[in-house]
Amino acid sequence: MPVTADAPRRRQKLLMLCNRVSWMVFVALVLVSVVADPYHWAWVFPPAVLAIGLSMVLNRRARVGHSAVERPFTVEVEAPVTGRWLALNSPADKVPSHGTHAYGQTYAIDIVADPAAAAGAIAGSGASSETASPPVARPGFSWFWPLVLPNSAFPAFGTPLLAVADGTVVRAKHGQRDHLSRSSLPMLVYLMLFEGFFREMGGVSKIIGNQVILDLGDGTYALYAHVRRGSITVREGDRVRAGQEIARCGNSGNSTEPHVHFQLMDHPDPDVARGIPFRWRGIGIPANNESFEAGPFTDEGDSKPTAGDRAFRFTVDD
């Protein structure tokens, strides 16, 4: 269905842009004052005060907007991956799952590949795995060393991402690099205090990195974030089928390690979108630190998911 740019969404977009410009002006004034010192420091801080005020307004608008809109029914779609995965930042535990309603993330989920768990289950069952290659274990968090790890150290990197339903590609961007992991305490601090701040100034694309957004119909859009550079196999305007590979898992944007960030939302622009609750067919919504197995999609005719499929109401409290 066509997207109507209504007045509230236009105001939301304008406030987002003003917030980013205010932070840019603040950083520019700080740099100029340090290098050339032509201004009194008192002139440096008003843009930051304005930016903080705009952030407060945006956060309040997001909370009020979420509360004012009747919670939608959960949309049932296929899982965007296959194999054994581990859920993080799940809406099954709290809403908003990422601590904010911004960027349509209210019901977003992060998942990381967990093939070692699958291998352990096979070993525990007594089944033979002699012909299978040993799985790559996901590296744990380190306090100091190693500071960073290459993306190849993580089993999620390069795994196929699948269309969760039939739909149309409305955005496909993959020009950003896949950076090294931020999986140590010093690098996590760097990400939160510095890198994340400058990515916020750069706009939503710098936050979510390389991305694919699908229009599933019925006012529902699926966002795949942090996609691997150069891996997107579709173009804007393409029609896709449920289960079709559209990209590969990467580590672009505001990300600590290769993982899949997936969400449903009601608008193709995350700056003005509201999140939509969802569940994966045959899986549901895994809780934080819960492993789950996603099987390959099988075409069962009329049972293929679309955004019109509605399941139970999402019952997690705000």
Side-chain angles (χ1 to χ4, degrees):
M1 65 182 281
V3 176
T4 302
D6 56 16
R9 293 194 197 270
R10 289 198 299 268
R11 287 195 293 270
Q12 175 83 0
K13 188 70 173 181
L14 179 61
L15 288 172
M16 297 287 282
L17 293 174
C18 289
N19 177 261
R20 289 164 187 154
V21 169
S22 297
W23 281 121
M24 290 179 184
V25 172
F26 168 70
V27 171
L29 289 176
V30 169
L31 294 175
V32 169
S33 298
V34 168
V35 175
D37 199 24
Y39 302 111
H40 190 278
W41 276 94
W43 292 98
V44 172
F45 292 102
V49 173
L50 176 60
I52 293 172
L54 287 171
S55 296
M56 296 173 65
V57 171
L58 286 165
N59 289 334
R60 183 177 182 279
R61 283 171 60 90
R63 289 195 303 271
V64 171
H66 176 74
S67 301
V69 176
E70 182 181 358
R71 180 171 291 161
F73 282 94
T74 302
V75 177
E76 185 172 78
V77 293
E78 296 291 340
V81 294
T82 60
R84 175 70 64 166
W85 292 76
L86 181 74
L88 303 171
N89 300 318
S90 171
D93 291 88
K94 68 172 184 176
V95 174
S97 58
H98 285 59
T100 178
H101 295 290
Y103 307 131
Q105 295 183 100
T106 301
Y107 304 100
I109 191 170
D110 294 330
I111 56 175
V112 294
D114 192 24
I122 293 174
S125 67
S128 175
S129 58
E130 294 179 359
T131 59
S133 300
V136 178
R138 172 178 170 244
F141 182 81
S142 61
W143 288 105
F144 295 104
W145 194 262
L147 286 176
V148 297
L149 290 170
N151 290 314
S152 58
F154 294 86
F157 189 67
T159 56
L161 303 180
L162 312 176
V164 296
D166 295 352
T168 303
V169 180
V170 294
R171 185 172 300 174
K173 294 185 177 181
H174 54 95
Q176 299 183 50
R177 68 182 179 89
D178 295 285
H179 54 72
L180 297 173
S181 76
R182 309 290 189 251
S183 52
S184 66
L185 180 60
M187 294 307 296
L188 183 61
V189 171
Y190 160 76
L191 174 67
M192 297 178 66
L193 297 183
F194 298 100
E195 184 178 355
F197 171 73
F198 285 101
R199 287 189 182 279
E200 284 277 2
M201 283 198 304
V204 63
S205 287
K206 296 299 181 183
I207 294 292
I208 63 180
N210 302 323
Q211 63 204 258
V212 177
I213 299 178
L214 304 180
D215 181 356
L216 306 184
D218 197 26
T220 302
Y221 298 83
L223 167 65
Y224 303 73
H226 313 306
V227 171
R228 183 177 183 176
R229 180 167 63 176
S231 72
I232 296 177
T233 60
V234 293
R235 294 181 296 179
E236 294 178 6
D238 285 355
R239 287 285 299 171
V240 297
R241 303 284 289 177
Q244 176 182 336
E245 180 178 331
I246 57 174
R248 299 240 167 189
C249 176
N251 194 34
S252 57
N254 201 57
S255 171
T256 57
E257 66 176 270
H259 73 284
V260 179
H261 173 106
F262 177 83
Q263 66 189 55
L264 293 187
M265 51 192 184
D266 68 353
H267 196 277
D269 183 355
D271 263 342
V272 300
R274 296 188 182 96
I276 294 177
F278 65 91
R279 57 183 294 159
W280 290 324
R281 179 165 297 185
I283 299 171
I285 287 294
N288 283 343
N289 297 311
E290 178 183 344
S291 291
F292 65 95
E293 184 81 26
F297 171 74
T298 56
D299 190 342
E300 298 179 356
D302 293 338
S303 67
K304 288 186 300 181
T306 67
D309 293 334
R310 305 291 173 175
F312 305 102
R313 278 192 178 274
F314 207 77
T315 56
V316 178
D317 293 331
D318 293 326

